[in-house]
Amino acid sequence: MLFGADSLPSPAADHCRTKNLKAVARSTGQGRASVVITNKGAGSCTVSGFPSLLFVSEAGRTELPVDWDGSAADAAKLTLAPGDSASATLTFTGLDECDPITGLDIVPPGESRPLTPAFTDTGGKKRAVRICDTGVRVKAFSSGR
């Protein structure tokens, strides 16, 4: 089950489609990461709200509790021109004894197919992120990387 998929409003007709997006999951420090989606399509599209997430460990897909920081209905509607990006911030308890999470299934708002990026560090090198099962707090998509 992708967390959040059943609690989001219906998408706008011009929402960003999975097939036109590229995703990056980037560790930004102890207990923080970001999910960045980039429009690789030929035209502009919109994104509003939260990504639905399923975490990937070395053992396979792992469900972790997700807490949404705000309301999808109150999230800004962002227009992404070709090449533009939007990011969602993840915060969590990350300790050495927590399970290593190597990637994510990310479903953009209004879509059903996931993007599946591996976690990387800020330099782009693959790097597992240790996330404890106490949960992940997710902010809505905002402009930029």
Side-chain angles (χ1 to χ4, degrees):
M1 174 182 158
L2 288 167
F3 284 96
D6 60 348
S7 63
L8 300 176
S10 298
D14 62 347
H15 77 276
C16 296
R17 305 277 180 195
T18 301
K19 68 181 181 179
N20 293 327
L21 295 172
K22 174 185 171 190
V24 174
R26 187 172 294 128
S27 171
T28 56
Q30 185 70 12
R32 295 184 61 85
S34 64
V35 171
V36 180
I37 57 171
T38 302
N39 179 2
K40 63 179 183 125
S44 293
C45 63
T46 62
V47 63
S48 178
F50 300 88
S52 296
L53 303 172
L54 187 63
F55 300 87
V56 180
S57 70
E58 293 169 355
R61 279 156 176 74
T62 302
E63 292 184 16
L64 294 172
V66 173
D67 176 36
W68 308 112
D69 187 358
S71 162
D74 294 334
K77 182 176 179 179
L78 307 171
T79 299
L80 303 181
D84 285 352
S85 298
S87 65
T89 302
L90 314 179
T91 54
F92 47 86
T93 301
L95 304 171
D96 288 342
E97 60 268 16
C98 299
D99 290 335
I101 303 298
T102 56
L104 292 169
D105 282 349
I106 302 165
V107 178
E111 287 291 285
S112 59
R113 286 190 357 213
L115 298 158
T116 57
F119 269 108
T120 62
D121 60 20
T122 55
K125 183 178 176 187
K126 285 185 180 180
R127 176 179 178 233
V129 175
R130 295 200 175 265
I131 301 177
C132 297
D133 62 5
T134 55
V136 178
R137 188 158 179 84
V138 181
K139 290 190 176 189
F141 279 109
S142 61
S143 296
R145 296 179 180 257

